[in-house]
């Protein structure tokens, strides 16, 4: 009798139509984009932005090419001219800075690898902020975390942009 109850519960749970919340809403386009290899390239990057540019490139490559196999790319996504500005966002009456904003701007060009035709080009702008603390170390870690989160935001924005372009073609 216990096996019948276990079988009933197993069948009931698998046939209820449950789908996880984190599942992509447009799975066919997402899978097609993952199989359509896009190579991310960097050019005209200032020396002080090299690490941030590399973070964007590796994060975007992880999102787009999750199988880590080298296949001749169908598209080149070239990232150009990354500029980062950091400024005070919040001041105390004493003149102490309590929050910084980090603004990133980059230009991109999507090129078809076989024809060299420019498919899309534009600019991406993102802003993130972080709080300061009495400790220099914790402020430094907060700034690093803000940069890492900003790289993730930009990578997800690039992926969404590519899905929209792929969907319209």
């Amino acid at each position: 009798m216990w096996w019948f109850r276990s079988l009933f519960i197993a069948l009931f749970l698998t046939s209820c139509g449950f789908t996880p919340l984190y599942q992509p809403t447009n799975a066919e386009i997402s899978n097609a984009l993952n199989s359509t290899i896009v190579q991310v390239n960097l050019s005209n990057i200032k020396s002080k932005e090299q690490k941030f540019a590399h973070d964007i490139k590796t994060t975007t490559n992880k999102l787009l090419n999750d199988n880590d196999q080298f296949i001749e790319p169908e598209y080149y996504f070239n990232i150009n001219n990354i500029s980062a500005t950091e400024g005070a966002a919040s001041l105390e009456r004493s003149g102490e800075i309590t929050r910084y904003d980090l603004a990133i701007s980059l230009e991109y060009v999507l090129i078809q690898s076989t024809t060299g035709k420019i498919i899309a080009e534009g600019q991406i702008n993102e802003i993130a902020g972080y709080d300061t603390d009495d400790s220099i170390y914790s402020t430094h870690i907060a700034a690093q975390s803000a940069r890492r989160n900003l790289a993730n935001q930009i990578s997800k924005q690039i992926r969404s942009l590519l899905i929209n372009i792929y969907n319209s073609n």
Side-chain angles (χ1 to χ4, degrees), residues 42-50 53 79-82:
L42 303 172
S43 60
N44 299 330
I45 308 299
K46 299 174 197 164
S47 61
K48 69 176 189 169
E49 304 302 336
Q50 287 287 336
I79 297 175
N80 307 312
N81 301 327
I82 294 178

Side-chain angles (χ1 to χ4, degrees), residues 114-150:
T114 54
T115 62
K117 178 182 170 189
I118 295 176
I119 306 296
E121 59 185 328
Q123 188 172 13
I124 295 175
N125 301 306
E126 285 290 331
I127 298 175
Y130 64 93
D131 294 327
T132 62
D133 196 0
D134 293 336
S135 167
I136 295 172
Y137 179 73
S138 63
T139 301
H140 176 71
I141 295 300
Q144 283 183 338
S145 178
R147 282 183 168 260
R148 198 170 33 253
N149 291 339
L150 205 51

Side-chain angles (χ1 to χ4, degrees), residues 61-62 65-70:
N61 280 331
K62 284 180 188 176
N65 306 325
D66 58 352
N67 56 6
D68 287 337
Q69 294 177 344
F70 180 76

Side-chain angles (χ1 to χ4, degrees), residues 5-70:
R5 196 175 313 152
S6 299
L7 179 65
F8 177 76
I9 291 172
L11 287 175
F12 178 76
L13 289 178
T14 58
S15 65
C16 69
F18 172 75
T19 55
L21 291 174
Y22 54 83
Q23 182 177 356
T25 56
N26 214 341
E28 290 125 12
I29 293 173
S30 180
N31 290 337
L33 183 64
N34 283 342
S35 64
T36 303
I37 302 300
V38 177
Q39 180 178 333
V40 179
N41 298 319
L42 303 172
S43 60
N44 299 330
I45 308 299
K46 299 174 197 164
S47 61
K48 69 176 189 169
E49 304 302 336
Q50 287 287 336
K51 183 178 179 341
F52 187 70
H54 180 72
D55 288 346
I56 292 174
K57 180 180 176 178
T58 55
T59 307
T60 305
N61 280 331
K62 284 180 188 176
L63 282 175
L64 297 177
N65 306 325
D66 58 352
N67 56 6
D68 287 337
Q69 294 177 344
F70 180 76

Side-chain angles (χ1 to χ4, degrees), residues 75 110 112 117 119-120 162-169:
Y75 300 98
L110 180 65
Q112 190 172 24
K117 178 182 170 189
I119 306 296
L162 290 173
I163 287 174
N164 289 335
I165 291 169
Y166 185 81
N167 194 19
S168 66
N169 289 340

